[in-house]
Structures are given as C-alpha cells and as structure tokens.
Amino acid sequence: GDAAAEAAVRARQDTLTKPPGSLGRLEDLAAWLARWQGRAMPRLDRVEIVVFAGNHGVVAQGVSSFPAEVTAQMVGNFAAGGAAINQLARVAGAGLRVVPVEVARPTGDFTVGTAMSADEFRAAVAVGSDAVAPGIDLLCLGEMGIGNTTVAAALAAALFGGGGAAWAGRGTGLDQAGVGRKAAVIDRGLARHEAVLADPLAAAAALGGRELAAILGAVIAAREQGVPVLLDGFVCTAAAAPLAVLAQGGLDHALVAHVSAEAGHRRLVAALGQAALLDLGMRLGEGSGAALAVPVLRAAVACHSGMASFAEAGVSDGAG
Amino acid sequence: GDAAAEAAVRARQDTLTKPPGSLGRLEDLAAWLARWQGRAMPRLDRVEIVVFAGNHGVVAQGVSSFPAEVTAQMVGNFAAGGAAINQLARVAGAGLRVVPVEVARPTGDFTVGTAMSADEFRAAVAVGSDAVAPGIDLLCLGEMGIGNTTVAAALAAALFGGGGAAWAGRGTGLDQAGVGRKAAVIDRGLARHEAVLADPLAAAAALGGRELAAILGAVIAAREQGVPVLLDGFVCTAAAAPLAVLAQGGLDHALVAHVSAEAGHRRLVAALGQAALLDLGMRLGEGSGAALAVPVLRAAVACHSGMASFAEAGVSDGAG
C-alpha cells in the first residue's frame, strides 16, 4: 500500500468544509482507495464486477434446496440481463463480467475425495488472475454456484476452526433440519481432509470450489495491479480468507462490502477483523452486496475530490 | 398507504430469479416505496433533496464549537457547490434545493423564553410544506444550523423523556466537558417549558428551531402528496418525530436513512421503532445520510422492475 497517498488524503480531509471526521467511514474509504490505488486523489472511473460460477460435487450430499443445473441456468440469466446483479451493476455504474469456471465439470465431492487436484486448483486460480482487467480502479467480486455455501463453510472452518455447526447456514433456503445435515456433511469433509487443513491453499483445493479458487486468484492479482477490491458475501469472503491467514495484512486491499444474512458471514467478517460497509439482510451472492456498496465508495471519492476547503469557501472553521 | 400496491410488490418478488427473501431489505424497500407512492411498480425518476437552514438563540449558551455565522456561510457554500451534500446529491442522481428559513433572524434562546411563537412556528412549518415539489418520487430531507443538535436533543427529550444527558452529543466537535454543559442547557430548557412538553407541536415551537419546523411541514406535505421520505441524521429525525408521537404510524412513510455517530440518534431511531438503512459513522447533517441511501433505494427499484422471473429466464425454482 501507498502510505504517502493515504496520508495526503487524511491531510486534505481536515481542510474540507465539514467538522473533522464528520464524514465517518467515507473519509476512511477515500484514504483506503488512495492507499491501494497508489494515488493521492483516488478515482472510480472504471469499476468492474466479476462473477465467477462453478459447480460442486458435494451437492450429491443434498446440501442445497436448488438443483445443480441452476448454476448454468443462472449464467444464462446473467447473459440475458435478468438477474439481480445485472440491475445492481447498472445502478453502480459498473461493468459486469461473468466467468464460468468449468461449470459443466463439477469439483469432486469433498466428503469422498478432494474437490480439486493441485493442478486443477492452480488452473482455477489462474482463471481468476486473468480476469482482472488492466487499468480498472475497483474490482467487485461475486459468485454463483449451487452448493457453494457448504464449500465456503467448510473452508472457513478449516481456516478459523469451529466445525460445521459454527459455519453452516440456510444457503438458498434450507430448513433447520437441512442446516443440521449440511453441518454434518461439512464435518465429514473436515475429518477426511484433516491432514491438509493447516495449509490454507491446500485446504482451498481439497474443499473447493473452482469459483472460490478463481476469486482467490483475482484478489491476489488485484493487489499486484494496484486495484482495491470489494468482496461480496459469505462465499466470496471465505474464498479470499486464505490470504489473511497466509500473511498479516494479506487482505488489507479487500473490504467486505455487505454482511450477509447467511449465518457464518458475520463470524467470518469478525475473524478477519473487518466491519462490513452495509448490513441489509441480503443473502444472494452474485456480487450483489459488493455492487450495492459501490455508490458508497463513489460518495467517498466525490466528497474528497469535490468539496471546497474552509479557505476556498470563506467558512469559519471550528478551531478558533 | 396503498396496501394493494405493497401486496403486488410482495407477490412479484416471489417470482423473480433469486431465493425467496434473499434480497433482504431491498425487497422491503420496494414494497415500502410502492405503498407510499401508491404504485405497484415504484419508481425513482425524480428524487429531490431539500436542506433547510436556520439559526438558534440557544447558541448564546455556548453549545457549539462553531460560531453562528457558519450557518449562512454554509448556505453560501451549498450555493457554490462546495459542500459535501453537493457531491452526494450528484452521486445520488438527485436534485438539491437549499431553503434558508430566516437564517438572519435566530429563534429565541429556549433557556430564557420560547424559541418561536405559535405564529412563527406555523410559518416555518408552511415553508417546509411549500418546499415539497409536485410530482417527485422521493424526498430526502436535511438541515444545517449551528446549535441545532442542542435543539434536537431537547425536542427528543421532550418527546421521549430521559433528560439532557441521555440525548446530548458532541455535535460538530464538543469535548466531554462541553457535552456536559450542553446537557445542562437542555435541562434548563426542559424545566422552563415543562408545562407544554406533553404537546409535541407546542414543544417543537418552544424549543425550536425554524429548520426543524420546516422539516416537520415537509414530512406532513409529503404524506399528503404520496411522496416517501428519507430522513437524515439526529436533527432531521427529531424534527419529524412529533408525527410518530401524535399518531400511530404517523411516520411510516419516512425512513431513517443513516444512523448518525451523534450520540442521541441511535436512541431516537430505536424509540421510533425503526432500523436505519446505513451505519457509516457520519455526523454531518446536510442530508448527507439520506443522499447516501438513495442508491440503495434505486437498487431496490431496479431489481424489482428489471429482474426476470423464473419462468421468463428458464431457471428451475427451489420449490420442486
């Protein structure tokens, strides 16, 4: 991160026509964008939402209330412009790209084997890295994949402990008994792969899925290219979380945009030491929470770059 | 409110390509807009932010860290486009109107007399009613007035009890000792006007201020004209709060957009039985929190009107 750019933002904030600190997180967001864009005047001219889609062998264990073919059907719906994220991208003034990651080839069922081999994992990570377009100012990440809250819960448990019951949620609409079965499936996966769980990347390969690995790759590539990241809900955050475990500050360029109603997300956000920008009871995925937070960042940038200083406006400041 | 319009939104929501309820508050917001616009398909083509400004005799008691002339200076800054709300209105795609309410004639100091006579109060309320433009789809309200968090705290205490210490906050930047002095000033005002505090409108006249009375008038007029309202922070919410006390449901067409870092606001929002849409640590006023929430409402409307149904998109729903 560019500490000088962040400091320049902080210094300018205190000259603007408002009581010091009164724009709250908007001031922090301007500083955060400056730090990770490496620019004293952050900008959001090119914002892109990338939604990765994948399928999961573990759906064979009955962990979702929707059938696996919905993943491909929703990819079609994204292309046709009919999904929530299409509307939200337009409101956000953001480009939208959907990247299916071998949707026709589900990962292995993690209760009976590994989700991905090391090579398959690397390939999915590379899909994500390659999806970060050069020169964008902000990357919003999202996902679609029937069964992937089970995968995300397993990965979160591997990274932060707690077992299936701590991380399993209703997903697209399980009842309480279904959540209990899902927790048991997760625990079977954790037991099966116990030997590799201490290695965050090995855990991500063993548990899956391809779209989670692609998100991981995109977050890494964004850091290298000076692009701040907005993470969406539970699955997206879990996918990026290995970076926080691997290195102190490894996720500092990525903010959780919205805390999902999916049970494990609040716990995961806390484990990462973050506070989500929004809390609106959504639990859709698709990048919906990230898209919804884009106008908040636009507001931060607009205030920072557009407001007059006390001196320019002839307003008495509170210091005297 | 139009219950049929709200029901039509709820029915349509369940056909759209998402798990039922997974858009959380966005679904509720679409239903709320429909109810108060009286339209099954809510729209946000014309959104207007109105900022009322006023000055307060009680600043003579040393309750603000900024001098009273800043109110007029900030009105100038609004006109020149240099304030936070100018930038936020642009991001929100909203019109912005600033209405000074006799800024050159401060209200009376409520610790030594009434802030406004009954006639002055009625005149200020009428300024607010008249400021609601015909045909708008959403009204965002804001205020500017050095000293007005003291007035808002006094009014909140009059309406909901608790005394000055429960409602006084740092305003534009008081230290802890300053907050204690402010609480004492509020308590003197409450004692002085004790005889009228059980009457919400008489309390609003006795404590002030003109911009708060104008907000009250605007919220009343919006209800009559079928215009939903976004309230901003502590001052704006306190200004509208008499309507909730006067009649059950009297504020149902007005949502608190952002819960302020100003101490009393969280308490006031809870007293009204509301949950603010945003919580971003802001404490600026000017309508800033309301403006910031407009894109959330746009997102709600965009999803509701733009998404495909399961049948249209050929996506399997989760019922089977």
Side-chain angles (χ1 to χ4, degrees):
Chain A
D2 183 335
E6 177 170 359
V9 165
R10 300 277 180 199
R12 175 171 160 81
Q13 289 285 354
D14 286 341
T15 70
L16 301 178
T17 45
K18 60 179 178 49
S22 60
L23 282 175
R25 287 195 79 176
L26 295 196
E27 301 187 23
D28 298 331
L29 289 169
W32 174 77
L33 286 169
R35 179 178 193 98
W36 296 106
Q37 289 184 350
R39 289 186 197 114
M41 274 296 191
R43 62 182 187 223
L44 291 172
D45 298 337
R46 286 190 59 198
V47 176
E48 192 160 89
I49 301 168
V50 181
V51 179
F52 297 100
N55 269 321
H56 302 271
V58 74
V59 297
Q61 303 298 323
V63 291
S64 177
S65 45
F66 283 78
E69 60 259 32
V70 166
T71 302
Q73 290 168 347
M74 283 300 295
V75 169
N77 196 23
F78 296 146
I85 191 60
N86 299 100
Q87 326 313 319
L88 296 172
R90 208 168 51 239
V91 172
L96 172 62
R97 210 136 49 94
V98 178
V99 180
V101 193
E102 304 198 54
V103 166
R105 197 162 67 96
T107 55
D109 176 349
F110 68 58
T111 66
V112 299
T114 55
M116 288 174 275
S117 69
D119 278 351
E120 289 174 317
F121 177 68
R122 273 192 293 270
V125 169
V127 167
S129 311
D130 293 347
V132 181
I136 61 175
D137 300 315
L138 178 71
L139 175 65
C140 300
L141 293 173
E143 46 57 47
M144 170 70 216
I146 295 301
N148 69 9
T149 59
T150 300
V151 171
L155 181 55
L159 296 172
F160 300 106
W167 298 100
R170 298 180 63 229
T172 52
L174 292 178
D175 60 15
Q176 205 46 51
V179 174
R181 286 192 300 273
K182 180 171 167 179
V185 167
I186 292 164
D187 285 336
R188 276 160 50 209
L190 294 171
R192 173 153 203 111
H193 300 289
E194 196 180 2
V196 304
L197 298 187
D199 175 341
L201 298 182
L207 300 166
R210 294 188 212 283
E211 79 276 38
L212 279 80
I215 287 168
L216 183 74
V219 175
I220 294 169
R223 176 84 156 228
E224 288 164 355
Q225 296 176 34
V227 179
V229 174
L230 285 182
L231 300 170
D232 190 33
F234 182 51
V235 176
C236 193
T237 308
L243 297 175
V245 176
L246 283 167
Q248 178 86 27
L251 258 187
D252 284 358
H253 68 302
L255 278 185
V256 178
H258 172 274
V259 61
S260 173
E262 176 69 7
H265 198 212
R266 203 169 292 272
R267 185 186 187 107
L268 181 56
V269 173
L272 294 171
Q274 291 209 20
L277 290 173
L278 302 175
D279 181 1
L280 291 162
M282 292 161 50
R283 49 180 173 83
L284 177 65
E286 300 184 3
S288 55
L292 203 57
V294 169
V296 176
L297 297 199
R298 291 199 187 283
V301 168
C303 287
H304 186 68
S305 54
M307 283 177 71
S309 68
F310 282 103
E312 287 164 352
V315 174
S316 311
D317 69 23
Chain B
D2 183 336
E6 177 171 359
V9 165
R10 300 276 181 198
R12 175 171 160 82
Q13 288 285 353
D14 287 341
T15 70
L16 301 178
T17 46
K18 60 179 178 52
S22 61
L23 282 174
R25 287 195 80 176
L26 295 196
E27 301 187 23
D28 297 332
L29 289 169
W32 174 77
L33 286 169
R35 179 177 194 98
W36 296 106
Q37 288 184 351
R39 288 186 197 115
M41 274 295 191
R43 61 182 187 226
L44 291 173
D45 298 337
R46 285 191 59 197
V47 176
E48 191 159 271
I49 301 166
V50 181
V51 179
F52 297 100
N55 268 321
H56 304 271
V58 74
V59 297
Q61 303 298 323
V63 291
S64 176
S65 46
F66 283 77
E69 60 259 33
V70 166
T71 303
Q73 291 168 346
M74 282 302 295
V75 169
N77 196 24
F78 296 145
I85 192 60
N86 300 99
Q87 326 313 319
L88 295 172
R90 208 168 51 238
V91 172
L96 171 63
R97 209 137 49 94
V98 178
V99 181
V101 194
E102 304 198 54
V103 166
R105 198 163 66 96
T107 55
D109 177 350
F110 69 57
T111 66
V112 299
T114 56
M116 288 174 275
S117 69
D119 279 350
E120 290 173 316
F121 177 68
R122 273 192 292 270
V125 169
V127 167
S129 312
D130 294 347
V132 181
I136 60 175
D137 300 314
L138 178 71
L139 175 65
C140 301
L141 293 173
E143 45 57 46
M144 170 72 215
I146 295 299
N148 70 8
T149 60
T150 300
V151 170
L155 181 55
L159 296 172
F160 300 105
W167 298 99
R170 298 180 63 227
T172 52
L174 292 177
D175 60 16
Q176 206 45 51
V179 174
R181 286 192 299 272
K182 180 171 168 179
V185 167
I186 292 164
D187 285 337
R188 277 159 48 208
L190 294 171
R192 172 153 206 111
H193 300 289
E194 195 179 3
V196 304
L197 297 188
D199 176 340
L201 298 182
L207 300 167
R210 293 189 212 283
E211 78 277 38
L212 280 80
I215 288 168
L216 184 74
V219 175
I220 294 168
R223 176 84 155 227
E224 290 164 355
Q225 296 175 34
V227 179
V229 174
L230 284 182
L231 299 171
D232 191 32
F234 182 52
V235 176
C236 192
T237 308
L243 297 176
V245 176
L246 283 167
Q248 178 88 24
L251 257 188
D252 284 358
H253 67 302
L255 278 185
V256 179
H258 173 273
V259 60
S260 173
E262 176 69 7
H265 197 213
R266 203 169 292 272
R267 185 185 188 109
L268 181 56
V269 173
L272 294 170
Q274 290 210 19
L277 291 173
L278 302 175
D279 181 0
L280 291 163
M282 291 161 49
R283 50 179 173 81
L284 177 64
E286 300 183 5
S288 55
L292 203 57
V294 170
V296 176
L297 298 198
R298 291 199 187 281
V301 169
C303 286
H304 186 68
S305 53
M307 283 176 72
S309 69
F310 282 102
E312 287 164 353
V315 173
S316 313
D317 68 23

